[in-house]
Amino acid sequence: MPPTGPLAEHPLLWNLNPPQQEAVLHAEGPLLILAGAGSGKTTVITRRVAWLIEEQGVSPGSILAMTFTNKAAEEMRDRVQRLVGVPVEQLWVSTFHSFCTRILRRDGDRTPVGRDFVIFDPSDQRSLMKRVLAELKLPERQFHPKKVLEFISDFKNRCLLPAEARAEALDAWTARAVDAYALYQEGLRNHRACDFDDLLLFTERLFREPAIQEHYGQRFRYILVDEYQDTNRAQYLLVQHLARHRNLCVVGDEDQSIYGWRGADIRNILDFQRDFPEARQIKLEQNYRSTQAILDAASTVIANNSQRIGKTLWTDLGHGERITFKLADEGRLEAEWVVQRVLDERARFPEGRLAVLYRANWQSRQLEEALRAANLPYRLVGGVKFYERAEVKDLIAYLRLISNPFDLVSFRRAVSTPSRGVGPTTLARIEAAIPEEGTPLEGVASLLGRGELKGRAQRELKGFLDLFSRAGAELKALGLPGLLRWVLHESGYLQALEEEGTLEAEGRMRNLEEFLSAAAEAEGMGLRLPEFLDRITLAADADEVDEAAQLSLMTIHCAKGLEFPAVFLVGMEEDVFPNRNARETEEGLEEERRLFYVAITRAQRKLFLSAARRRRIMGSEVLGMPSRFLRELPPEALETPIRWGTELHREGLGIQSPGRPPRGSDGASVASELHRIRGFFDRVRAAQGRPPETPRVESSQEEGGDGAWPAGTRVLSPRFGRGIVTASTGRGEGLTYTIRFEGGEKRILARFGMLERDPG
DNA sequence: CGTGTGTAGCTTTTT
DNA sequence: GCTACACACG
């Protein structure tokens, strides 16, 4: 219960509402904090940690706090440090992945990964997987490396090694994929490498050992897990092993669980009370971030989900401005509208930070183009990551090889950049020459020793070998940035870049310089080479968010946990948001809806939504349909009702249009189109008990006169039967429809398809 | 062996 | 629209 009297005056309780105070004061035993968006979660967590240290006399070293991003971890540590008098270096605040790295670097020799390993990023994983698939003679057409890796990741997230996964291999594809899994693990071990999932998986294995569990269980008397709704099975088990004192405090919000595709299991939070029947549950429902209009929209939307514990956000910030929705005729125009409204907002609130959010990274391109054209500076988060750029990865390959000579993937990369006259043939010979339990460099050495190489390859490989034999001493002498400079020089990388002399090469040099300063910074923090490499690969998009930026562009996933006075959410179309791949299952849709919820609740004062009737996706023109989520918004939260340009065909809502398939470029089809739109939205309004809008002529740029049937048109095909047009590309002879039939989607050339419009 | 060109295939979301 | 890969050429 919230304290009264002198306790309420305690500085760590200042400005906290009763449930928040209760969460801070909770003493021993499990605690579930259901923290709604904007409910002051971080304040509560940090004050709780501070309270434990200051008032309960808990030593910082026996508190472990887990987060998902480095940024969250750093913020938590900073804020706790500012609250308490004693130094908090001993406090363990880290991401799951860096926690596991730390554990494995200490006790990893009890696991197959050992203590010295590199962490493979997705591109390293991919090259290893490609070799595995080639070795197993599995065609990449059926065994797409990325697909197989996702499949493996799924097993790892559920803590299943190949032997255990075998039991689930009921069909031929799965059986072969499990073979690939087994060989992939072998490959990782040979490289002295592990992937992201291995970090969790093997740490969990390690914690199954009673002695280890005892040790760390004793050490961490208080455990705190942030974003608990995003934990996967491995993380869940890890926490269970550690929480021996049952002083486990988990914080989360089931409505913001958006990482199911990465193995996160929403049931972890839904079932916390079952796991810990004695757990205290506290809901933080007062929102300090957004206006009532925004919260109403968010609450109404999320109420459509079934997988909930349930909370109701409220605020005393007042109703605020209603949500603005803009329907543009085309993607580029949508982007230009955003630019215009950004300028308007700037004029009204010069200091207000703005964010443009989208479902997938590809959507940033058009926005960037429009922003550049308008000379508006912006900050893009995510997309192609800095450490994934070719030149940076090249240099990293050298560093990795210095740090871990067993890394064949990095060897292959380093040895062929800059070009040394080593092609597939020489490479194969080198690999064949690698001694058992030996390194690629030893392979090169033995080949050279036997005098089996000549000409350019011989000369260059000697130098290459020489570089690595000296690297250790150079690192000692020059330090991290110095070593980098030395490598760039000695390897001939810099020279090759200079000789190129292109503008592009100049850009790459700038990136390398930036990388050099990152290394200098790391050295300043006392990091050594292996730690620096860990840090690079474990760095997340979210870590590089600049919260002070005036205008930020990012995915909704990246925006989780952030807030902005005004938010633009673009691309509100079916198949974009909700994403096309998520629409088949109910769980998929609920996760998309949570994503929408997250997006809405980022806005403090004003939310803009937008969509485009038409947009280019993967090079072809796609006619969009309104996102189903738009219909879930409460009409009174919107500035103006939502209108569209094509029918929304949902079972029971499909509307027959009169009229004929458009053939010419006259305006008749446009008119019938508009007729249908109004029909649809009037129906929606009628269902909401509101009168139909008076007709209003929308701008009639749609269809562009190419005479294609619009998306949503029902058609009959002699081959496939009834279907619905979902997109069209090309024109004239090349006009192609994408049509959804009962049995799946097909692309059909209009000229040959003998398609008819379906009358009934 | 390395480089340039054509083309298929694809984009969720990320530690 | 982009990229990553296969193939042809110098």
Side-chain angles (χ1 to χ4, degrees):
Chain A
M1 278 295 101
T4 48
L7 193 54
E9 299 295 314
H10 194 289
L12 286 175
L13 298 176
W14 277 350
N15 293 329
L16 296 188
N17 64 37
Q20 288 179 327
Q21 295 192 5
E22 196 184 335
V24 170
L25 294 173
H26 175 86
E28 304 265 300
L31 171 66
L32 168 62
I33 303 177
L34 293 165
S39 60
K41 175 188 75 170
T42 311
T43 303
V44 169
I45 303 177
T46 50
R47 295 224 203 159
R48 174 168 169 75
V49 172
W51 182 267
L52 289 172
I53 295 170
E54 295 270 272
E55 295 299 320
Q56 306 291 119
V58 178
S59 106
S62 57
I63 301 175
L64 171 66
M66 300 280 220
T67 63
F68 276 83
T69 65
N70 298 301
K71 185 162 166 278
E74 266 157 45
E75 189 187 346
M76 200 183 293
R77 179 188 297 281
D78 283 355
R79 285 177 67 166
V80 170
Q81 181 64 84
R82 267 182 276 138
L83 290 170
V84 301
V86 299
V88 295
E89 271 84 58
Q90 294 299 305
L91 188 68
W92 278 51
V93 189
S94 72
T95 67
F96 275 100
H97 292 271
S98 28
F99 173 80
C100 291
T101 307
R102 220 166 139 180
I103 299 291
L104 288 173
R105 294 243 182 261
R106 281 177 58 139
D107 300 309
D109 38 12
R110 310 170 80 116
T111 76
V113 290
R115 296 176 47 191
D116 294 309
F117 51 83
V118 270
I119 304 169
F120 267 15
D121 71 16
S123 71
D124 305 317
Q125 293 182 47
R126 188 164 165 277
S127 27
L128 176 58
M129 179 51 71
K130 288 180 76 112
R131 294 171 61 78
V132 164
L133 294 172
E135 190 156 338
L136 290 175
K137 302 202 167 35
L138 296 175
E140 289 200 11
R141 285 303 282 262
Q142 289 165 60
F143 295 86
H144 199 67
K146 228 179 98 192
K147 254 262 138 58
V148 180
L149 282 167
E150 272 168 24
F151 173 85
I152 291 173
S153 176
D154 232 54
F155 279 118
K156 291 189 173 183
N157 287 154
R158 287 160 54 211
C159 289
L160 299 175
L161 284 167
E164 295 141 343
R166 189 71 62 190
E168 291 186 28
L170 299 176
D171 60 292
W173 192 94
T174 311
R176 313 263 48 208
V178 172
D179 294 341
Y181 180 12
L183 199 56
Y184 170 76
Q185 287 307 97
E186 220 175 279
L188 285 174
R189 300 298 85 87
N190 290 336
H191 283 72
R192 306 284 197 271
C194 64
D195 62 19
F196 289 137
D197 299 325
D198 276 353
L199 294 171
L200 302 177
L201 173 75
F202 286 107
T203 307
E204 194 276 327
R205 293 273 151 159
L206 187 63
F207 280 162
R208 289 183 193 183
E209 285 183 34
I212 298 279
Q213 199 182 113
E214 179 70 22
H215 174 77
Y216 287 100
Q218 282 299 329
R219 162 152 198 184
F220 300 117
R221 284 183 50 218
Y222 289 85
I223 297 170
L224 199 144
V225 184
D226 193 14
E227 309 279 17
Y228 192 65
Q229 76 283 352
D230 290 331
T231 49
N232 62 32
R233 179 86 193 155
Q235 289 158 332
Y236 169 86
L237 289 174
L238 211 57
V239 170
Q240 298 292 320
H241 293 321
L242 278 167
R244 311 202 59 219
H245 291 269
R246 295 181 91 75
N247 293 326
L248 172 64
C249 169
V250 304
V251 189
D253 177 0
E254 79 278 12
D255 294 332
Q256 294 189 65
S257 163
I258 55 175
Y259 285 105
W261 50 273
R262 207 171 68 188
D265 192 344
I266 192 171
R267 284 174 307 181
N268 291 161
I269 193 165
L270 296 178
D271 294 345
F272 188 79
Q273 289 279 7
R274 188 207 59 196
D275 295 334
F276 297 92
E278 79 272 33
R280 179 92 189 96
Q281 183 187 90
I282 298 173
K283 288 186 186 181
L284 304 180
E285 297 178 294
Q286 181 173 1
N287 173 293
Y288 296 93
R289 177 186 295 157
S290 312
T291 63
Q292 195 63 50
I294 288 163
L295 293 186
D296 285 346
S299 303
T300 313
V301 165
I302 203 65
N304 291 306
N305 269 12
S306 63
Q307 299 273 23
R308 303 188 66 203
I309 298 169
K311 305 178 244 43
T312 314
L313 294 183
W314 62 276
T315 181
D316 56 16
L317 295 178
H319 185 272
E321 283 181 56
R322 291 204 268 193
I323 298 167
T324 299
F325 173 73
K326 169 65 182 182
L327 173 63
D329 284 321
E330 203 257 308
R332 190 177 47 85
L333 297 171
E334 182 193 27
E336 283 169 11
W337 176 80
V338 169
V339 167
Q340 195 50 53
R341 296 307 298 250
V342 164
L343 291 170
D344 293 351
E345 281 294 302
R346 278 279 156 79
R348 287 177 63 205
F349 303 94
E351 298 303 311
R353 293 169 308 110
L354 302 168
V356 186
L357 308 183
Y358 35 81
R359 175 66 238 266
N361 278 311
W362 59 265
Q363 297 179 66
S364 71
R365 208 194 73 246
Q366 254 181 346
L367 292 161
E368 289 188 76
E369 280 166 8
L371 289 165
R372 297 179 100 107
N375 249 327
L376 268 176
Y378 62 89
R379 175 97 196 203
L380 183 82
V381 183
V384 218
K385 281 159 223 127
F386 179 72
Y387 294 118
E388 280 167 24
R389 293 184 196 186
E391 61 278 15
V392 179
K393 279 228 73 172
D394 289 340
L395 186 49
I396 291 175
Y398 281 90
L399 295 185
R400 281 194 177 171
L401 209 50
I402 291 168
S403 171
N404 168 25
F406 289 91
D407 184 349
L408 183 60
V409 167
S410 294
F411 171 80
R412 290 167 72 92
R413 185 168 192 126
V415 82
S416 39
T417 39
S419 105
R420 293 192 169 81
V422 174
T425 324
T426 318
L427 212 47
R429 290 175 59 205
I430 294 173
E431 282 174 36
I434 299 175
E436 192 74 21
E437 294 285 300
T439 70
L441 291 171
E442 289 164 5
V444 174
S446 98
L447 227 47
L448 283 171
R450 283 183 262 150
E452 287 184 28
L453 294 165
K454 18 190 144 350
R456 182 169 170 218
Q458 182 190 35
R459 210 168 48 244
E460 300 251 29
L461 281 173
K462 272 184 115 161
F464 187 72
L465 222 47
D466 192 43
L467 185 150
F468 286 95
S469 65
R470 287 158 57 203
E474 297 292 338
L475 174 58
K476 273 212 186 83
L478 305 170
L480 205 46
L483 175 78
L484 290 185
R485 223 179 291 274
W486 179 80
V487 166
L488 280 174
H489 200 260
E490 286 300 290
S491 64
Y493 196 94
L494 211 55
Q495 198 188 344
L497 217 50
E498 274 162 5
E499 278 166 12
E500 212 179 305
T502 61
L503 211 65
E504 213 191 5
E506 240 174 84
R508 285 196 230 128
M509 283 204 250
R510 265 200 305 279
N511 285 334
L512 287 171
E513 270 165 34
E514 203 177 323
F515 185 59
L516 244 58
S517 43
E521 199 181 311
E523 189 171 60
M525 289 164 57
L527 294 188
R528 310 196 24 219
L529 182 56
E531 285 115 26
F532 176 56
L533 292 173
D534 287 350
R535 202 183 161 81
I536 288 169
T537 20
L538 294 178
D541 283 343
D543 298 337
E544 52 178 81
V545 175
D546 175 7
E547 279 182 276
Q550 283 303 103
L551 177 60
S552 306
L553 269 57
M554 64 186 96
T555 63
I556 304 168
H557 282 91
C558 249
K560 192 163 89 151
L562 305 176
E563 59 185 21
F564 305 89
V567 167
F568 293 83
L569 178 58
V570 303
M572 292 299 299
E573 296 128 53
E574 268 313 274
D575 290 355
V576 175
F577 192 27
N579 187 278
R580 154 184 259 284
N581 305 298
R583 71 175 173 205
E584 300 306 332
T585 66
E586 194 51 35
E587 303 86 78
L589 270 174
E590 291 211 355
E591 182 150 316
E592 294 288 299
R593 189 176 284 112
R594 290 192 289 267
L595 206 46
F596 187 35
Y597 176 81
V598 168
I600 296 171
T601 53
R602 296 313 94 198
Q604 294 172 294
R605 193 192 78 244
K606 176 72 188 181
L607 177 64
F608 297 93
L609 302 174
S610 67
R613 285 193 175 90
R614 252 181 319 136
R615 72 167 74 243
R616 293 200 140 261
I617 297 178
M618 281 196 270
S620 59
E621 192 92 322
V622 176
L623 300 173
M625 290 178 288
S627 168
R628 67 192 74 197
F629 296 146
L630 289 171
R631 298 190 312 162
E632 298 179 3
L633 291 166
E636 54 292 347
L638 286 157
E639 211 169 63
T640 50
I642 291 168
R643 322 179 132 264
W644 200 261
T646 76
E647 92 189 69
L648 183 69
H649 59 271
R650 247 201 146 193
E651 293 312 312
L653 272 176
I655 294 136
Q656 267 342 108
S657 80
R660 53 190 181 74
R663 287 194 203 287
S665 51
D666 58 9
S669 57
V670 174
S672 67
E673 182 82 334
L674 279 172
H675 183 80
R676 280 200 322 238
I677 310 157
R678 272 199 284 284
F680 166 68
F681 280 103
D682 286 348
R683 228 175 258 227
V684 172
R685 297 172 67 77
Q688 291 164 349
R690 290 146 52 94
E693 281 277 297
T694 45
R696 200 178 86 193
V697 177
E698 296 264 319
S699 92
S700 53
Q701 283 183 19
E702 59 242 15
E703 285 204 24
D706 56 4
W709 285 327
T713 307
R714 287 155 190 277
V715 294
L716 274 172
S717 148
R719 276 189 66 198
F720 304 105
R722 275 159 195 255
I724 286 179
V725 174
T726 56
S728 65
T729 64
R731 47 169 57 222
E733 299 251 295
L735 177 64
T736 308
Y737 289 111
T738 307
I739 300 173
R740 189 159 70 240
F741 294 103
E742 200 116 323
E745 229 161 35
K746 298 266 179 297
R747 282 169 62 79
I748 296 179
L749 211 56
R751 183 153 54 105
F752 297 130
M754 295 196 291
L755 296 169
E756 277 179 74
R757 202 157 180 152
D758 182 2

